[in-house]
Amino acid sequence: MTKMRKVFLSEKEMPTQWYNIQADMPNACQPPLHPATRQPVGPDDLAPLFPMELIKQEVTRDRFVDIPEEVQDIYKIWRPSPLIRAINFEKALDAPVKIYYKNESVSPAGSHKPNTAVPQAYYNYKEGVKKLTTETGAGQWGSALSFACGFFGIELQVFMVKVSYNQKPYRKSMMNTWNANVVASPSTLTQAGRKILEMDPDSPGSLGIAISEAVEAAVTDPAAKYSLGSVLNHVLLHQTIIGLEALKQFDIADDYPDVVIGCFGGGSNFAGISFPFLKENLTNGKNSRIIAVEPESCPKLTRGKFMYDFGDTIGMTPLMPMYTLGHNFMPPKIHAGGLRYHGAGPIVSQLLKDKLIEASAVPQKECFDAGVKFARSEGIIPAPESTHAIAQVIREAEQAKREGKKKTILFNLSGHGLVDMAAYDQYFAGQLEDFSVTQEEIEESIAKLAVLTA
Amino acid sequence: MTKMRKVFLSEKEMPTQWYNIQADMPNACQPPLHPATRQPVGPDDLAPLFPMELIKQEVTRDRFVDIPEEVQDIYKIWRPSPLIRAINFEKALDAPVKIYYKNESVSPAGSHKPNTAVPQAYYNYKEGVKKLTTETGAGQWGSALSFACGFFGIELQVFMVKVSYNQKPYRKSMMNTWNANVVASPSTLTQAGRKILEMDPDSPGSLGIAISEAVEAAVTDPAAKYSLGSVLNHVLLHQTIIGLEALKQFDIADDYPDVVIGCFGGGSNFAGISFPFLKENLTNGKNSRIIAVEPESCPKLTRGKFMYDFGDTIGMTPLMPMYTLGHNFMPPKIHAGGLRYHGAGPIVSQLLKDKLIEASAVPQKECFDAGVKFARSEGIIPAPESTHAIAQVIREAEQAKREGKKKTILFNLSGHGLVDMAAYDQYFAGQLEDFSVTQEEIEESIAKLAVLTA
């Protein structure tokens, strides 16, 4: 008998509804506020940015939301994704742990991002939207939305953070192949971009700036709407298909995780893998530890402050109640571009505040150590973002070994690193830095937000 | 009801044996000849290069060969691979065809190559081999073998064709991440490499040269053996897991292909998808057309000559009976590096000679047109090699439309193109060339081989 390595679900077993954790949170999120009036935003405020169906999903308390058949049809190109037992990685760690991972790298864009890109493109298409704008950092989100827009004939304008635009030409090529327009941000296409360029013509850009540009490009074009790849409630909702599948797969494997781990940028892959297991904690007597793992150099969950803040740099988005480092915080240039974001999003922040989840911060080198160890035992080269989850898995395994306690661990392999190999080159060349952020820097950045809480 | 898009097999349904077409060929291949004596090579001649188990597999007439459990365990990281119905691509083509593809891009190395890399590494490990050498063109094979050697603690030296070494740095990074040594070929590590460099210090290298180097490096090191990623019988054998899974998946889908298509370099992915269906033709009354698709610029199947030739440039390998353009033929620098090889391998050549399969040649631009059309409908960006199969699918679909005949087509998506995006950039920039090869060039190249047939 060979070992069980992997659990596939058939297409028939693929979940047909997403799970909405807002139905089960003991304390609801505080409402987002309008950037000008500071009053709770209503559907009309968001209508220039999003189609009505996504606005409804942003606030619904329904426990389950149907996945449209057209979206299911596209999901099925790569979903259900496999749940894999990391047998060789377990052996390499030599600890009393069982390790499972959900392999989201099998999507055509190479990450979990298409899980929300496809429904977002679909709902826009259904409401007659012909053009979308978005931002992207390392390019995972931009390529996923390019991929998704292709199915529905939607034109896409991507603002790509300039430093990544120059460092990751393959991501741009992927977006072009899927028919999207890509421009380096800050750009001259928007007022926000021009303003930044006036102050600093050599600005490397940031996710916050790119969001400002994409939002402006959408609100100033009546034919266009905007799309965001993380942070917001409807994005997290769409990603729960990951954890819902994993729950079914654990049933088949006749096992259950004691710990569920996801890397953390804006929350989309973390929520995707963990919320369905958190539901089991909240409503079904289960007791898994749920851990969000962020870079030590962008520590909003572990060292940020819970308060209202903007989602972007210029201050065009609604104010959201969340753990934040301040919307002007410039995260160091770590390779995990998808985790370089100042804020944590309302739902995850509320859950952390209520101690229903844990947070952990890991330095860059430890992550790449973990990523290489994983690649050399399991064979998959993880995205720099995903290495954060793997580093935490190793910490958990080492703890289990010290304590002589058995443990079953689940983590989300959010994407592969095949388009990020330059990061691994730097690692092997010994050129990778561990960036640290001082308490003073964080407090100074947050102090600038005092006006928002006044 | 949503549409059936994809058939997964469970791990339990994964085939546990490979299929050996040598059991069913009406005419056996002529034997390979020793390069010096011109006598049929025996096991002892091959022992310096390969472990005995692979030498046995090279000549066995057993219809099925057991897949070792250790190999099955690693296969299960990504296998069984999905069989996908290309619903959107069908719609884009608007022809009376059903199109299915086997998605081999889901392997950690991004192609079908690990199917043989893993058993090759395993058999070497079982026989105590500590070091392997190999060559790689575009890098798909080198990265697959690096991935495989990692599981068995085997040191790997890769000779990578210099032009690719410089153009595809990410492939080199992948191999390094999996712990392999990679050097540009021609190199100063071997006599063969030094000889070429003396004649032409700026030689861009070729697969034939790199094979010479890898073979020399193996035979001059008692601790090392050599590994080849295509052409040979045992390689084709290992790849048949692709078609064996596809047969089971068609059973589940209650369908069967009229046409089976694979791109063609040395034969590994073509044999993998097609031989199990060819078996059904030969032994079970089926009648699928089986088509190997090669680049118009490297047309050994459609315009080469069936004769004995070397597998490498220097003339160190056995002489093999095959369709060839001559071992000194230098294929133009198309992006499908995996298809730039002068010879076709004994089994596929014999099958073509016996008219049991067909061959087709397509120009580079038509391939990329097809690849982009596929990417924009199905969402997966295909490797340049795989676009050749897709171009042929489109030709078949157009023919079906002209003739008003229904047709079910299966092709092998041998790999994704995420590490080959520079090729797509050139395509979009209008810089892609269609290389042609004149009849004179081919005849001149083959004339040099006259001595071999004497």
Side-chain angles (χ1 to χ4, degrees), chain A residues 156-168:
Chain A
L156 177 64
Q157 175 67 54
V158 180
F159 295 87
M160 184 172 187
V161 176
K162 196 193 276 171
V163 57
S164 297
Y165 183 91
N166 292 328
Q167 280 175 354
K168 307 203 172 192

Side-chain angles (χ1 to χ4, degrees), chain A residues 2-3 5-6 8 11 73 76-77 79 88 108 147 151 173 176-178 375-379 418 425, chain B residues 2-3 5-6 11 73 76-77 79 88 108 147 151 173 176-178 375-379 421 425:
Chain A
T2 67
K3 291 168 213 138
R5 161 86 69 179
K6 177 166 79 291
F8 274 137
E11 293 195 346
D73 274 342
K76 287 179 183 173
I77 292 177
R79 303 209 72 85
N88 296 345
F147 158 84
F151 294 110
S173 310
N176 288 337
T177 301
W178 283 314
R376 290 186 179 174
S377 53
E378 287 297 307
L418 299 187
D425 284 349
Chain B
T2 66
K3 290 170 215 136
R5 161 85 69 176
K6 178 165 79 292
E11 293 196 346
D73 274 342
K76 287 179 182 173
I77 292 176
R79 304 210 72 86
N88 296 346
F147 158 83
F151 293 111
S173 311
N176 288 337
T177 301
W178 283 313
R376 289 184 180 174
S377 53
E378 286 297 306
M421 293 310 302
D425 285 349

Side-chain angles (χ1 to χ4, degrees), chain B residues 312-339:
Chain B
D312 69 325
T313 300
I314 299 283
M316 300 181 73
T317 72
L319 288 157
M320 289 178 291
M322 59 181 179
Y323 283 95
T324 180
L325 296 165
H327 61 273
N328 283 306
F329 181 80
M330 180 63 86
K333 290 178 196 164
I334 55 169
H335 284 285
L339 308 186

Side-chain angles (χ1 to χ4, degrees), chain B residues 278-348:
Chain B
L278 189 52
K279 171 177 183 291
E280 296 299 300
N281 284 359
L282 293 169
T283 67
N284 207 9
K286 296 285 189 182
N287 199 23
S288 303
R289 287 172 55 218
I290 312 277
I291 308 175
V293 191
E294 64 187 4
E296 208 173 68
S297 57
C298 190
K300 59 224 174 201
L301 293 175
T302 52
R303 294 164 69 196
K305 191 171 170 189
F306 186 90
M307 60 189 300
Y308 271 101
D309 194 6
F310 293 112
D312 69 325
T313 300
I314 299 283
M316 300 181 73
T317 72
L319 288 157
M320 289 178 291
M322 59 181 179
Y323 283 95
T324 180
L325 296 165
H327 61 273
N328 283 306
F329 181 80
M330 180 63 86
K333 290 178 196 164
I334 55 169
H335 284 285
L339 308 186
R340 291 180 67 237
Y341 187 65
H342 66 276
I347 292 182
V348 171

Side-chain angles (χ1 to χ4, degrees), chain A residues 196-210:
Chain A
I196 301 277
L197 286 173
E198 261 170 43
M199 296 189 297
D200 178 7
D202 297 325
S203 165
S206 74
L207 216 40
I209 294 169

